[in-house]
Every structure is written in structure tokens, then in C-alpha cells.
Amino acid sequence: MWRIILGLAALLTGLALWLFWADRAPPIAVNGAAPSEETIEKGEYLARAGNCIACHTVPGNPEYSGGRRIATPFGNVYSSNLTPDNETGIGQWSDADFWRAMRHGISRDGRRLYPAFPYSNYSRVKREDSDALFAYLKSLPAVRQPQPEPQLRFPYNTGLALRLWRALFFKPGRFEADPQRSTAWNRGAYLVEGLGHCNACHTARGFLGNSLASAEYAGGPVPMLGWDALPLTNSQPMSDKRASEMARLLKHGVSERNVTSGPMAEVVFHSLQHLADDDIAAMVTYIRSLPPGQTPASEQGLQVGEQRKALLMKQGAPLYSEHCADCHGEKGEGHPFQYPALADNQSVVADSANNIIRSLMYGGFGPSTKGNPRPYGMPPYAQQMSAEDMAAVLTYIRNAWGNEAAAVSPLQIRRLR
Amino acid sequence: MNNNRPDLFRNPVVKKSLLISGLASGLLLTSLAVVAEQAATPDDAGLAERLQACAACHGDEGRSQQEDYYPSIAGKPAGYLYRQLLNFRDGRRLHTTMRLMLAYLSDAYLYDIARYYARQSPGHHSLPETNLTEAQKALGKQLAQSGDPERDLPACTQCHGSRLQGRAPYIPGLTGLPSEYLAAQLGAWQAGTRQALTPDCMATIAQRLNGEDILAVSRWIAHQPTAADTPSTKGSYANLPMECGAVQ
């Protein structure tokens, strides 16, 4: 009997040590040096690279004042106020406090931060960059805006759950340059893995919201947003031409064959358009070096029989000519820098038809960028086309001009309506 | 100008001029409140094609052919349209399709879009089949033209113009709009899903209306002939019956 009790006590002590002692906040020295104008400017640039503004600003409110609702599969969390307000912002923080949040995901008061703040990535940011970011945020006008309490479901709302998550999935990282690789590759890796936190969307997540190492950059559904992130892995080597197209797409939101939409349009709008060409090129250099990956099993479309598919194709062809061909071309060739090509386009023939269904239903504009300030738009068709017609035209698009993909069922569209 | 390529591929000289025009439009934005007139001819190149997405619901050049709901936007004052685009984008006016459409468009582009539609002629619209009862006709007319002093309700005409033609740059005309659209807006103001800058006078007015008032006044307005002339740019907003953030 005593043995069992002692054993249990030892187990609990071990667990507590693992969860709490191993995850204690390390002391960090304050840098404290008054930042130069240059440092502040660098910080502003890095804030753009990290797309901090997207989560830390409610549209229409002052920049970086936080309070934006971030929906997660476990409930809602709200972003913090990054302006230097003494009570509600980071007015009383030191650069060491800030770096501890970035590197260890621990707030100034010792609270563990929810990993919706991607500190698994930011952990790799260099101290000097963290200090520059902090200097920039401190230079902003202070805005009083308290951070709303998170609304998470049990057990995710418990401190223990967060500790457990951290023990299982978080380890402070450090960016180590690879001397075998070029400077550009290393810079790209630093940006993509660190501030860019590209894997937050482009790597599928496990059931506790953890990034799946086995599916690194293989794309998948973006939690809660209804869009799919495309794979960044390369099933075949990316040609130089495609690489420079990708650079244009990232920087301007539009390229010869593509337009960014949905969450990626947001990333271009708030973040990538502001980055230097060198940095964009470095990111592309890194991305094109990613090894081929397994696309994780995404939500399969509803099965459509061969006969039904043939029928949808037949219905879809004239609908395409009537509604789509003016902009996207008779052969789906698109129009460079205006309308995306639909032939030979990864997004169009993806296993899951989510993105293309959303684009057809809701339409949309590419992001306004410095290079493409007045983008072209796509009308929403949800109001003017039946689910049957939308399924037909999408099935046609996914299987015409050399495209090959599963048919889209009208049910799939009704489900999204 | 080569339309096949976006502005980023134009030569450096053009780039510079774009930068200057960008700066200029920035200045315009800040002085919007002062400059009541719609600006001289801005760069319209290809805007009609760029805005085909809007035409699907609002019609070519913003003249909606759909009688049931979608409002015409042609000839509405630029300041009003610009504010609405910002309101949709930033969530003060809730409409999923509009929010998704505008989510990643810059202030400068939205202002170009507003000016483009403001310059289009509103055209004539045919009046809807009459669906007004005599009682609704009387109530609608009274509310629109005289208001109701007992409930502290100003007449629509006091702000929107004697023929409801609107007053540039911020007050929209009301004629030519489907009654369903008008009623939905008043309902949205009651529910808080449409908001203007504070003090939100239209929200206050909508709160003082009941369901019958809304039906009657919306239908009565929808039966008024289109005021085809450009909205009046004369007259300041000094004598408005209420304080309105939307006109400041």
C-alpha cells in the first residue's frame, strides 16, 4: 500500500518537475541601451516581416493596439496590445521582458502565453532583432486598449493544459546558420522559419494544434479559416522562371499566372509587399530548396461517380464560356498580372477544392500593393449561380486543358453556403 | 499605357509620376473634408474592367439592374461612397461579401473606386409596381417630408435634400433605391449591424422608428422619381437638425 502511495507521489513530483521546473522562466539580462533611429526603423521592418499587425490590430482601430479575436479549434483568444501604454500595453516592459516573450513564450508577469502567438517560430529570432522590434513598438503612440480574456473550452482553459502543451511541443529554438548553404539561403531560412512563421499555415497541425513535423510545409487546411494552404514543398525542382514568378507573387500579390487570395492575400497586404526584394528572393531560395513532402490527407471531397462527373463536365463547358472565359481565357490561360491562369495551376487542381469553391462563391480582389495598387476583381457567384451550376463549372475547370482532379459535388457547395 | 502589365513594370519615369500621384492622393484624402468638390479627372484607366467584380451586383457603371435589393451606386457622392467602403472593410457595416471583397484593398484604391462611381450618371430607373396602401402612402410621405416632432424625428428631406437627391460630399441620395434595400438599412441601424461615425444620427433616428414606419417610408421613397441631377454640392451642413459624425 505504502509503495503505491509513494510511487504515485514520485510520479506526481516527476510530472510537476517536468511541467513546471523544466519550464521555469530563465533570467534574462536587460540590454537597456537607448535605441537609435536606425534601430527603430529596422524594428518597423521586422514587424512587417513578422506580420505582427495582422493579429495585433482590429481593423479600423489604431495599429498594434490588439484585441483582435483569434479563433482556434479550442476557443477564442485575443491578441495583446503592443503599444507602449503603461496599463494595457507594453509600456512597463523591458527589452528582456520582450525577448523572453519572443523566445520562451512567457509574459512579463510570468504567465505562459497561448501558442496562437507563434513563439515556436519567434524563438528563433536573434536577440538584436527582438530588441529592434521592441524599440519600434515602444516608439508607437500609446493606446489604452485592454486585452479581452480568452474564451477557451475546458480543459484548454486550464494552466495545466498550457503547461502540458509546452512540455510536449515547445522547446526554445535558436537559428543556426548552415555554413554549407549560401547567405541568401540562410537569410531566407531565418525569415521563413522565424518571423515569417510560414509553417503556422503551411504545415498541417495535429489534434492539439501542434505543427506536425512529418508534414512540414506540405500544406493543408488552415484552421478555422475555411481556406487551404498550398504545399511549399517541391515534388519536382522549381525552375528559375517559376521561382521568379513566385517572388513577384509574394511581393506584389500578383504574377504572370497567379493571384493571392484569402489569408495569403492578407499576408502579402500587411507583410510581404513591404519586404526588400533581396529578402523576398532569399525566402524563395529557401522555399525552393525544401524537399518533396507528403501531402497530408486533406478533407476529401464527396465522391462523385464517373458518369456523374462526365455529366458535370458537359454542363460546365458552356457555363465556363459564358461566365469565365472573358477573363480567364478560352483555354484557362488567364491574363498575366490581372487574372490567374486556371490551366496548370496548383491551387485549381488541389485535392481539396475548398479554395476554388470559395473563390467562385465569394469572388474577391487581390491585395493592393505598391507594385499593383489597383488589383482586378472577381465577382461573387454565390448569388447568381445554383450549386449545381457552380459544381459543374468547377468540375470542368478542374478537368479541362490538361487539368486532372476530382469532380466537385453540388453538396460540397451547399455545405459551404 | 500598356494595360497588360501592372504598374510595377512601367518604366522608372512613370513610376516616379505614380509616386507623385500617390502622394497627391494621400494629400487629397487628408483634405477630403475640406474639398467638397469631386476631384478633377483622376486616372481612370481600366477602372471599369478592374471593377467588374462590383458590376456583378451593382450593375455596369454602378447602375443596378436588379430591382430587388442591390443598390445603385452611380452618382452617389464620393465622400459617402468612400466612407461606406471603409465601413464595410473595417466592419462598421456588416456584410460578408463586401467585407471579403474589400479586405485587402488600400484606402487610396477605395477612394479611386468611390470617385469612379460618383462620376457616373445615376440614370433613370423605372418605378416599382405600386405596393403602397393609402395609409402607408400618407405615413411615408409625412415622415419623409415633415418628420414627427412629437417623436423628435426630423424629415428625411432636411438632410437628404428636398427631392431626396442627396448633398455632396457625404449625404447620399435616396431615390432610385429598392424599398427592400432602404428598409434593410434602417433595420440594420436599429440592430447595430450598420454604423456610421459617431455621433451616429441615423442610428438614433432608426431607433425612433417602428416596423410600420420603416415599411411605409421605405416604400414611399422607392416610389419617388429619380433625382437625376448631380447631388447638390451647395450649402454647408451647418443647418442639419442633428449632429452627425458621417458628415464631419
Side-chain angles (χ1 to χ4, degrees):
Chain A
M1 182 65 187
W2 276 109
R3 274 193 195 174
I4 296 175
I5 292 175
L6 274 176
L8 270 178
L11 201 70
L12 282 176
T13 317
L15 195 67
L17 280 177
W18 179 51
L19 290 184
F20 291 90
W21 184 78
D23 190 22
R24 71 204 182 287
I28 291 168
V30 176
N31 169 354
S36 63
E37 273 304 310
E38 239 179 353
T39 304
I40 291 173
E41 242 171 62
K42 182 180 162 192
E44 178 172 13
Y45 181 83
L46 294 168
R48 286 296 186 186
N51 199 13
C52 311
I53 202 169
C55 286
H56 286 277
T57 306
V58 174
N61 280 7
E63 294 186 345
Y64 298 103
S65 61
R68 183 165 178 186
R69 184 173 65 94
I70 314 289
T72 81
F74 317 104
N76 296 323
V77 292
Y78 294 85
S79 57
S80 59
N81 180 349
L82 297 183
T83 71
D85 182 61
N86 275 335
E87 273 88 58
T88 63
I90 58 165
Q92 299 190 41
W93 288 46
S94 69
D95 53 54
D97 295 330
F98 188 76
W99 201 55
R100 196 170 57 170
M102 294 283 285
R103 182 157 166 70
H104 299 281
I106 298 174
S107 187
R108 178 167 182 267
D109 57 9
R111 253 181 332 119
R112 269 53 182 170
L113 296 168
Y114 287 106
F117 171 55
Y119 51 81
S120 297
N121 299 91
Y122 295 168
S123 191
R124 301 190 176 110
V125 171
K126 289 181 229 160
R127 172 72 191 259
E128 61 186 89
D129 284 353
S130 170
D131 285 357
L133 259 171
F134 181 69
Y136 166 65
L137 295 171
K138 284 282 244 192
S139 77
L140 295 169
V143 178
R144 203 183 149 71
Q145 168 90 264
Q147 178 182 20
E149 287 298 315
Q151 305 155 329
L152 294 165
R153 287 191 309 279
F154 183 81
Y156 310 110
N157 55 354
T158 60
L160 195 66
L162 187 52
R163 291 279 185 166
L164 195 64
W165 190 93
R166 288 169 61 91
L168 288 172
F169 303 119
F170 174 64
K171 222 174 147 186
R174 193 180 291 277
F175 178 72
E176 304 282 359
D178 180 347
Q180 306 293 312
R181 302 278 195 163
S182 66
T183 317
W185 185 94
N186 276 302
R187 174 70 178 166
Y190 178 68
L191 288 169
V192 167
E193 304 275 346
L195 281 171
H197 66 288
C198 306
N199 70 353
C201 293
H202 288 279
T203 299
R205 290 169 187 264
F207 77 105
L208 289 176
N210 49 302
S211 284
L212 294 172
S214 60
E216 188 100 272
Y217 295 115
V222 183
M224 311 307 286
L225 296 185
W227 288 86
D228 294 316
L230 293 181
L232 300 182
T233 50
N234 306 281
S235 48
Q236 49 197 346
M238 191 191 292
S239 68
D240 288 349
K241 184 169 164 255
R242 285 285 159 102
S244 59
E245 278 179 24
M246 184 187 217
R248 281 191 280 278
L249 187 66
L250 295 181
K251 171 106 183 173
H252 308 301
V254 65
S255 74
E256 287 85 340
R257 306 178 43 78
N258 248 317
V259 176
T260 53
S261 43
M264 196 59 204
E266 181 179 49
V267 174
V268 171
F269 183 68
H270 288 304
S271 171
L272 297 172
Q273 66 158 316
H274 302 282
L275 298 197
D277 291 349
D278 286 355
D279 277 345
I280 294 284
M283 291 170 88
V284 173
T285 302
Y286 177 66
I287 288 167
R288 69 193 288 205
S289 80
L290 292 171
Q294 205 78 46
T295 308
S298 59
E299 214 180 305
Q300 282 299 313
L302 296 157
Q303 294 296 316
V304 174
E306 278 309 309
Q307 254 184 328
R308 178 91 168 103
K309 182 174 174 181
L311 199 66
L312 286 169
M313 285 288 289
K314 211 171 136 192
Q315 278 174 278
L319 287 168
Y320 181 83
S321 297
E322 184 187 340
H323 295 285
C324 322
D326 271 358
C327 297
H328 293 286
E330 276 300 337
K331 294 196 160 60
E333 70 273 21
H335 202 298
F337 303 106
Q338 295 178 6
Y339 305 114
L342 302 178
D344 187 21
N345 180 329
Q346 203 185 10
S347 189
V348 170
V349 293
D351 281 350
S352 148
N354 268 344
N355 287 5
I356 187 172
I357 293 176
R358 290 192 76 92
S359 295
L360 180 66
M361 286 176 69
Y362 298 112
F365 284 85
S368 291
T369 57
K370 281 177 215 129
N372 187 37
R374 305 200 295 178
Y376 288 75
M378 154 102 180
Y381 281 88
Q383 286 95 330
Q384 41 172 320
M385 254 189 182
S386 67
E388 177 81 18
D389 281 356
M390 286 196 270
V393 79
L394 290 176
T395 300
Y396 176 76
I397 290 168
R398 276 160 67 82
N399 292 279
W401 329 293
N403 284 349
E404 236 184 282
V408 175
S409 143
L411 260 178
Q412 240 176 305
I413 292 180
R414 285 197 197 99
R415 261 200 322 214
L416 274 177
R417 260 197 159 154
Chain B
M1 193 184 310
N2 185 350
N3 251 342
N4 297 349
R5 306 191 132 212
D7 305 328
L8 58 124
F9 290 95
R10 291 186 197 156
N11 65 46
V13 179
V14 182
K15 255 191 194 163
K16 203 173 212 173
S17 81
L18 270 172
L19 183 71
I20 292 165
S21 73
L23 285 173
S25 68
L27 284 176
L28 251 169
L29 287 184
T30 50
S31 57
L32 186 60
V34 190
V35 185
E37 276 82 15
Q38 285 148 29
T41 17
D43 176 16
D44 243 14
L47 219 50
E49 198 194 340
R50 289 172 198 269
L51 301 181
Q52 278 186 40
C54 314
C57 296
H58 295 285
D60 286 333
E61 297 180 342
R63 286 183 294 276
S64 172
Q65 300 303 311
Q66 309 195 36
E67 309 272 305
D68 50 350
Y69 186 82
Y70 300 106
S72 283
I73 48 181
K76 287 244 159 64
Y80 168 75
L81 290 175
Y82 177 57
R83 289 262 174 94
Q84 297 319 304
L85 290 168
L86 294 178
N87 288 347
F88 279 124
R89 187 191 65 183
D90 298 341
R92 282 182 294 271
R93 219 180 141 171
L94 299 187
H95 191 285
T96 305
T97 304
M98 287 299 289
R99 179 177 57 80
L100 293 174
M101 277 282 160
L102 306 175
Y104 311 118
L105 299 185
S106 66
D107 293 359
Y109 191 22
L110 295 183
Y111 189 54
D112 284 345
I113 294 172
R115 281 191 302 182
Y116 169 79
Y117 284 115
R119 275 197 313 280
Q120 309 306 321
S121 150
H124 293 281
H125 80 295
S126 46
L127 295 181
E129 294 290 307
T130 180
N131 56 359
L132 271 167
T133 65
E134 282 306 314
Q136 282 178 335
K137 206 169 175 177
L139 176 60
K141 182 174 181 183
Q142 184 225 320
L143 288 171
Q145 296 190 331
S146 320
D148 184 350
E150 263 176 43
R151 286 188 284 166
D152 211 6
L153 275 171
C156 306
T157 49
Q158 276 181 272
C159 296
H160 290 275
S162 56
R163 285 171 299 122
L164 302 175
Q165 75 275 31
R167 282 158 76 179
Y170 293 125
I171 303 179
L174 302 179
T175 56
L177 294 168
S179 68
E180 280 78 0
Y181 173 78
L182 291 166
Q185 300 319 302
L186 290 167
W189 255 304
Q190 281 187 336
T193 53
R194 177 169 178 170
Q195 294 171 24
L197 299 176
T198 48
D200 191 348
C201 53
M202 278 307 299
T204 309
I205 290 169
Q207 299 300 338
R208 292 175 189 163
L209 296 172
N210 61 36
E212 255 168 60
D213 297 330
I214 290 179
L215 207 60
V217 78
S218 304
R219 288 187 175 173
W220 187 84
I221 292 173
H223 280 79
Q224 301 313 301
T226 322
D229 50 343
T230 322
S232 153
T233 52
K234 288 183 198 126
S236 71
Y237 293 145
N239 295 323
L240 297 185
M242 295 172 80
E243 227 191 303
C244 276
V247 302
Q248 284 156 19

